[in-house]
Amino acid sequence: MGDTIAAIATAQSPGAIGILRVTGPETCAILDRVFRPKGTPLSQREGRKMILGDVLDREGRVIDHGLAVLFPGPNSYTGEDCGEIHCHGSPLVLQEVLLSLFQAGARQAKGGEFTQRAFLNGRMDLIEAEAVADLIDAETAEAARNAAGQISGAISRGINEIYEALMAMTSRFYAVVDYPDEDIEELQRSAMEETLADAAQKLAALLATFDRGRLMKQGVPTVILGRPNAGKSSLLNGLLGYDRAIVTDVAGTTRDTVEEKVLVGRTLLRLIDTAGIRETEDAVERIGVRRSRDAAEHASLALLVLDRSQALTEEDETAIAVARQVPECFVVLNKCDLPAVVDEEALRRHFASVSCISAKTGEGLAALTEKIEALYAVAGGTAGEVLTNARQAEAVSRALEAVRRAGEALAAGMTPDVILTEGEQALEALGELNGKSLREDLVATIFSRFCVGK
């Protein structure tokens, strides 16, 4: 990290303001070459204050008028000297200023390199660093709040407490074993049992949030099922608020899955409109039906669309059977603007949720979305305590299993070295979780998913 890096930190499209970031040991000198305030050079000004001046191109000519600010290390985002130039948001101007920074001695930052330096310099742990990317990618306010909570240490604090408790237990073990002649008080069995039980309880509680966190971050995989021409595509269009899928009176219009994301209240749905489930001789439609069944197998929620104005058919029964395999299923009776033929009460005896809508007029859609939002409403709690990262969940799982094995070994009266081995495995997994012990190549892989400039 001996070099100085620079990058454009704002979107590569015209805007009111564009920001370029610089960090590294030559930050002050480089900014002095590219930014010219009136009077005293930027490097000699007080840090953390915006300074007005001219922004220079590679030839030393004024290309813009803007603001610049210095953030002296180690109390900066990266832990090094950092700086920003705020100018007008012309992509051409931003690119010219970036080239000017390169000529002055900086190099192009890689994806996530600013945050990677913050991690390597101890400004944040790996959980907090990964939450930065989650905050940038957040598609719901709930996901953003959770990521912001993790950046503030909501998960890290608990993990550090578990790590320190296990470290204290294992180090005491080592001290007793390695220095038998020293007057070192041995750990009491009850204290070890309490440490391991507390760690197991906290890790299990954290791991239990992952299913909810995955849906929060990625959206609820939601499959729209039903026989051909029941109104599936109309429902998709109604939920989206625009015509995404082709709707006709011809049965079998949808032959492939159509996927879109939609925010229902505070819940993000990954909607999958499917081909109508039926037996068909059409080779293309058969592929679509197979994909419909595959989509149902991987869905968390099914919206089963039935035509309320017609009696249930064999094709409806087939769709019902497929929908029953999905963890959550809402029956959606379409065409409520027409006289009812379907036995609604019979359906209510078999399904927890039955809604009547008119995909044509929009009647009933608001009530349906309220039910969906209520199903996935988040219980109260501190923002940031929901685990959303698969890598982190896998590390927590390994730590939990090791802690449980250590507890079982202690209860079985096994020798201390067995308990030590399991305790060390738990510490290793927790170290991978927060970055205390992590391979360099894995660190690079994690930060490579970040955008350039962050």
Side-chain angles (χ1 to χ4, degrees):
M1 294 192 298
D3 52 357
T4 300
I5 60 175
I8 299 170
T10 45
Q12 299 293 307
S13 57
I17 298 173
I19 300 175
L20 299 103
R21 306 181 74 192
V22 185
T23 188
E26 298 299 317
T27 293
C28 292
I30 289 172
L31 286 177
D32 277 347
R33 297 186 190 110
V34 177
F35 185 80
R36 187 174 62 198
K38 296 186 183 301
T40 309
L42 183 66
S43 61
Q44 299 176 29
R45 303 291 186 100
E46 184 179 353
R48 296 176 177 80
K49 284 192 175 181
M50 288 291 217
I51 306 298
L52 178 66
D54 296 329
V55 185
L56 310 179
D57 65 11
R58 286 169 288 174
E59 304 300 324
R61 299 168 300 190
V62 176
I63 193 171
D64 199 358
H65 307 284
L67 299 167
V69 59
L70 279 173
F71 304 98
N75 297 318
S76 66
Y77 181 76
T78 63
E80 310 168 322
D81 285 346
C82 289
E84 292 180 357
I85 295 176
H86 295 227
C87 53
H88 292 92
S90 160
L92 184 145
V93 169
L94 290 170
Q95 190 62 39
E96 284 297 316
V97 178
L98 182 63
L99 292 174
S100 185
L101 290 169
F102 292 162
Q103 181 172 286
R107 70 161 172 83
Q108 173 66 59
K110 301 173 185 175
E113 194 168 2
F114 287 89
T115 305
Q116 184 175 1
R117 290 191 177 201
F119 163 67
L120 295 174
N121 288 325
R123 295 294 293 168
M124 59 179 67
D125 67 17
L126 198 56
I127 298 172
E128 294 162 351
E130 288 182 292
V132 172
D134 289 344
L135 182 57
I136 293 171
D137 295 337
E139 297 185 77
T140 66
E142 181 190 357
R145 282 191 293 269
N146 190 70
Q150 290 186 7
I151 293 173
S152 300
I155 289 180
S156 297
R157 286 188 291 271
I159 293 299
N160 289 338
E161 289 176 2
I162 297 170
Y163 188 93
E164 295 302 325
L166 292 176
M167 181 63 78
M169 185 187 78
T170 55
S171 60
R172 183 75 67 83
F173 258 124
Y174 273 119
V176 172
V177 172
D178 292 345
Y179 303 99
D181 297 330
E182 298 290 334
D183 186 21
I184 301 174
E185 181 183 357
E186 292 192 29
L187 270 174
Q188 296 297 315
R189 179 189 179 91
S190 59
M192 289 188 290
E193 289 176 342
E194 183 178 345
T195 296
L196 293 171
D198 183 64
Q201 185 272 323
K202 290 178 177 176
L203 289 171
L206 178 59
L207 189 61
T209 67
F210 180 56
D211 285 342
R212 178 159 60 94
R214 183 168 47 192
L215 297 180
M216 177 198 301
K217 181 178 179 179
Q218 300 175 359
V220 180
T222 305
V223 62
I224 304 177
L225 297 171
R227 64 173 172 81
N229 228 27
K232 301 184 300 302
S233 296
S234 296
L235 175 60
L236 173 72
N237 292 341
L239 290 172
L240 292 175
Y242 64 93
D243 290 343
R244 170 63 178 84
I246 297 172
V247 176
T248 73
D249 292 332
V250 179
T253 300
T254 301
R255 296 189 169 206
D256 199 356
T257 54
V258 177
E259 300 188 25
E260 286 289 341
K261 289 183 179 180
V262 62
L263 195 59
V264 175
R266 291 173 294 177
T267 302
L268 182 67
L269 300 185
R270 286 186 5 241
L271 285 174
I272 307 170
D273 183 20
T274 63
I277 296 178
R278 66 173 177 177
E279 295 297 325
T280 176
E281 297 301 320
D282 187 304
V284 175
E285 190 176 356
R286 269 205 312 273
I287 295 173
V289 172
R290 187 180 71 243
R291 290 184 178 181
S292 299
R293 293 178 180 274
D294 291 342
E297 289 180 6
H298 297 93
S300 296
L301 171 65
L303 299 179
L304 173 61
V305 182
L306 303 174
D307 187 338
R308 181 172 176 263
S309 67
Q310 298 181 16
L312 294 182
T313 66
E314 185 176 338
E315 291 172 349
D316 286 319
E317 297 295 344
T318 301
I320 290 172
V322 174
R324 285 184 183 279
Q325 306 305 312
V326 182
E328 299 288 346
C329 178
F330 283 10
V331 174
V332 181
L333 294 178
N334 190 26
K335 303 182 183 179
C336 69
D337 50 319
L338 300 177
V341 175
V342 169
D343 187 347
E344 187 175 328
E345 292 306 314
L347 288 171
R348 292 186 184 280
R349 288 195 292 269
H350 294 91
F351 292 94
S353 174
V354 178
S355 300
C356 293
I357 71 160
S358 171
K360 180 179 180 180
T361 66
E363 181 183 348
L365 278 177
L368 174 62
T369 56
E370 287 176 6
K371 288 184 179 181
I372 295 172
E373 184 178 9
L375 177 63
Y376 294 101
V378 178
T382 303
E385 292 182 340
V386 178
L387 200 61
T388 60
N389 184 297
R391 183 197 71 82
Q392 295 172 9
E394 191 273 336
V396 171
S397 179
R398 281 190 287 117
L400 175 59
E401 291 304 313
V403 166
R404 284 173 172 169
R405 289 194 300 267
E408 291 168 359
L410 181 63
M414 294 186 179
T415 55
D417 60 301
V418 177
I419 302 169
L420 262 177
T421 299
E422 300 297 350
E424 288 178 336
Q425 289 187 7
L427 286 169
E428 181 180 354
L430 293 176
E432 291 180 16
L433 176 63
N434 59 19
K436 289 182 182 292
S437 57
L438 200 62
R439 300 192 318 273
E440 187 175 335
D441 60 334
L442 186 54
V443 171
T445 300
I446 289 171
F447 285 100
S448 67
R449 76 183 182 94
F450 283 55
C451 57
V452 174
K454 191 57 183 173

